[in-house]
Amino acid sequence: MSVRILALVGSLRAGSHNRQLAEAAVKLAPEGAEVELYEGLADIPFYNEDIDVEGNVPAAAAKLRAAAQGADALLLFSPEYNGTIPAVLKNAIDWLSRPYGAGALTAKPVAVVGTAYGQFGGVWAQDETRKAAGIAGAKVLDDVKLSIPGSVVRFAETHPVDDAEVAAQLTDVIARLHGHAGTSVAA
């Protein structure tokens, strides 16, 4: 049985190092796991309860919810914007948190990783992302972490998949998330 892991990237920039990290995750997925890089977060309107009406949910938000509901786990990639979570990733979590108590994140294993230019690799943003996902109902894996500092220098000429240390750490994250997701699927 294959485990489906949905990857959401909190940066919309084409050359984003977090996007590159997510691309590496797709390539490094262990046997029995499939990491799907979600496209389309830029198309989702800001969460507004007035437009979150059954039968009339914006198509982009409905597509995200369907993708998350079809996944066994989520892997969130968060850069750090002004010391916190990027709006695009927070917006995705907001849409996935509804309907209250039965959102697409409810009880799903979620791991949060990322890279940032600063010396701590975006840990503040990643901690805020874990907090938001947990409040939204996800089963956040607080012990599965990867924060890579100095992204601008570290990945200036090397894609994360070609950085042996990063590849090994990311492979471990995916394997651990896969294990949690596999346990949830079997239950």
Side-chain angles (χ1 to χ4, degrees):
M1 169 179 62
S2 183
V3 171
R4 290 190 58 235
I5 300 170
L6 185 66
L8 303 180
V9 180
S11 174
L12 301 178
R13 190 171 60 84
S16 161
H17 295 120
N18 280 282
R19 181 173 179 82
Q20 291 176 3
L21 198 59
E23 292 166 354
V26 170
K27 292 178 181 176
L28 296 170
E31 186 174 330
E34 173 194 353
V35 176
E36 174 193 343
L37 179 53
Y38 187 81
E39 303 289 352
L41 290 185
D43 302 327
I44 301 169
F46 282 113
Y47 185 79
N48 177 344
E49 198 170 356
D50 290 342
I51 63 173
D52 187 8
V53 179
E54 188 174 340
N56 203 25
V57 172
K63 179 182 170 196
L64 173 65
R65 284 179 175 167
Q69 287 169 339
D72 300 307
L74 281 84
L75 182 55
L76 308 181
F77 294 83
S78 184
E80 189 168 273
Y81 290 1
N82 298 312
T84 194
I85 181 174
V88 68
L89 190 54
K90 176 63 168 67
N91 189 49
I93 292 169
D94 289 345
W95 277 103
L96 294 174
S97 73
R98 300 287 193 250
Y100 181 76
L105 288 179
T106 302
K108 295 231 185 212
V110 171
V112 180
V113 300
T115 186
Y117 178 68
Q119 66 180 343
F120 301 111
V123 295
W124 289 347
Q126 293 159 30
D127 286 346
E128 289 296 316
T129 303
R130 284 183 197 90
K131 176 183 165 188
I135 291 169
K139 179 183 169 188
V140 177
L141 308 180
D142 286 319
D143 63 333
V144 180
K145 299 179 180 181
L146 176 58
S147 300
I148 305 164
S151 61
V152 172
V153 175
R154 184 162 194 161
F155 303 125
E157 296 180 18
T158 304
H159 192 284
V161 79
D162 297 321
D163 181 314
E165 179 184 21
V166 169
Q169 293 171 334
L170 186 56
T171 299
D172 180 60
V173 164
I174 299 164
R176 293 174 68 198
L177 180 57
H178 175 260
H180 283 278
T183 302
S184 295
V185 169

